[in-house]
Amino acid sequence: MLLAAGAFAALNGANDGGALTSLGLTIRGLTPLTALAALGIAVAAVPLLFGTAVASTLAARLVAFDGAVGRWALLAAIGAAVVVTLGLSVRGLPTSITLALIGGISGAGVGAGFAVAWGLIALVLLAAAAAPAVGALVALVTAWVAARLPARSGAGRAIRRAHLAAFVALCLAYGANDGQKILAVFALVSALPGGRVEADPLPLALGAVLFIAGGVLGLGRYARTIGGGVIPTRPEQAVITEVSSAAVVFTMAAAGAPVSMTQSVAGGLVGAAWTRGRRRVRWRIVLRIAFAWVLTLPTAFLVAATAAFALRGGR
């Protein structure tokens, strides 16, 4: 079970770490390894500082996995999330691992015969669907305001400073929300009573190290899709996207709602480019990414439900 949790953490690094780090590589000031390290530190440190509301939602409130059957069902849930995400990643599509995990948990719960909190899952999915749209809207407004500010000398240096601050905010938001699915999985496989989530430094540190390792492997693949795939990213657009995405994901974290940072970033990129014309957005790539999101949850649900039902029958 711990091996499955470790593989899940590394996959998050490859998918999320690669995609988020690639966003800022158009701006001098951060190296890829430094950016990945910052994300990894946020994954480990933010739950200790700001709490584990999102991890608790994923680990304890969607499905209560109990007993030996529950442990096998949990393995099916994590396995389904990993398999579906890897299947999409071979095509260079940074899908939402949050959606994959929610689909895997709910599918495993159904397949193993556990009660599933469908009302809460519906609310979580509503928040997930809103995240890219809200990210696009916030970025659109921010870009519109920024375009009307008077030009100043030394703009390049100011953008680099803003990028560093915005990327720190992005890392903190990721650790407060999307990155907590790593902690949730470690809590689930640790079989804490009632699915309790504890901000234990040891699993947090292990998850961060595996996240960084996965990010190193995934950086090149996802840089082509997010960093320069959705739009030809300009430095100011990268900063606007980072600020807008961080604001959206922080807000969702305050409500304990797990949302995907990559979804928010993709929406933010579209919004940041919209003020310069819709043709600047590479809609074919946007549609491919959106198709991956739509496909992720039901596929993970079916895979997990089938596996959990088979394991239940074999016990």
Side-chain angles (χ1 to χ4, degrees), residues 26-95:
T26 55
I27 308 173
R28 290 190 296 112
L30 278 178
T31 66
L33 287 179
T34 302
L36 281 173
L39 279 168
I41 291 171
V43 167
V46 171
L48 294 170
L49 299 173
F50 298 107
T52 59
V54 172
S56 297
T57 296
L58 291 169
R61 299 177 63 192
L62 301 182
V63 178
F65 293 103
D66 295 319
V69 173
R71 289 185 66 79
W72 284 106
L74 175 59
L75 184 60
I78 299 172
V82 170
V83 167
V84 171
T85 305
L86 282 176
L88 292 169
S89 73
V90 297
R91 304 185 67 86
L93 293 175
T95 189

Side-chain angles (χ1 to χ4, degrees), residues 164-272:
L164 292 174
F167 190 77
V168 169
L170 189 78
C171 291
L172 292 174
Y174 184 80
N177 195 316
D178 203 9
Q180 291 201 11
K181 58 184 176 289
I182 299 172
L183 177 60
V185 168
F186 272 102
L188 285 168
V189 302
S190 298
L192 295 176
R196 188 175 72 253
V197 175
E198 296 179 350
D200 189 335
L202 182 59
L204 284 170
L206 177 59
V209 170
L210 293 170
F211 177 91
I212 293 170
V216 171
L217 296 176
L219 179 60
R221 177 182 296 273
Y222 293 107
R224 292 190 296 270
T225 306
I226 289 291
V230 173
I231 64 172
T233 312
R234 299 165 59 96
E236 64 272 20
Q237 291 169 338
V239 173
I240 289 169
T241 300
E242 288 168 340
V243 171
S244 303
S245 303
V248 171
V249 174
F250 259 132
T251 301
M252 295 295 186
V259 297
S260 169
M261 179 66 84
T262 55
Q263 286 183 295
S264 300
V265 165
L269 283 169
V270 172

Side-chain angles (χ1 to χ4, degrees), residues 88-95 224-225 282-295:
L88 292 169
S89 73
V90 297
R91 304 185 67 86
L93 293 175
T95 189
R224 292 190 296 270
T225 306
R282 292 168 177 154
W283 293 107
R284 181 179 60 84
I285 294 178
V286 172
L287 291 175
R288 286 182 66 224
I289 294 174
F291 176 73
W293 294 341
V294 171
L295 190 65

